[in-house]
Amino acid sequence: MRTIATLIIAAAFAASPAFAQKTEVKGKTEIDAKQENVAAVAIGKDNTAKNTAGAIKGDTKVQGNTKIQAEQKNAAAVAIGKGNTAANEAGVIGGK
């Protein structure tokens, strides 16, 4: 069982500059996320498979009080073959 603890962010958060994306969080943000029995498999060239629960991703601005509650059970993401992707994303704000 994989559990991501509750986070409280009171200041702004910036994403890695290597991807040229900016994520800003202003205000109180709580993330309560749990994952159980998850699996991600990528087979082949340049594939990505992922399971994400409770995240603020890429070039996103969040203002004010935000609460994310996410739970995944028995989730799987599988990508097979060239250029395929697969993802299970519960409680995710924003994109790549």
Side-chain angles (χ1 to χ4, degrees):
M1 178 173 160
R2 182 175 138 191
T3 302
I4 302 171
T6 300
L7 304 174
I8 298 177
I9 302 171
F13 172 79
S16 173
F19 296 0
Q21 295 178 340
K22 185 175 181 182
T23 300
E24 291 183 36
V25 179
K26 295 181 180 178
K28 181 180 177 184
T29 301
E30 295 181 37
I31 301 174
D32 185 10
K34 296 179 184 179
Q35 291 183 316
E36 291 183 31
N37 303 319
V38 299
V41 177
I43 300 172
K45 185 178 179 183
D46 299 326
N47 288 319
T48 302
K50 59 186 171 181
N51 294 309
T52 306
I56 300 173
K57 297 166 65 171
D59 206 15
T60 304
K61 291 183 181 180
V62 178
Q63 295 182 342
N65 295 334
T66 305
K67 186 173 185 177
I68 300 172
Q69 291 183 309
E71 186 173 336
Q72 285 187 347
K73 291 184 180 181
N74 303 319
V78 178
I80 300 172
K82 184 177 179 181
N84 291 331
T85 61
N88 292 314
E89 297 183 321
V92 175
I93 297 174
K96 300 177 184 181

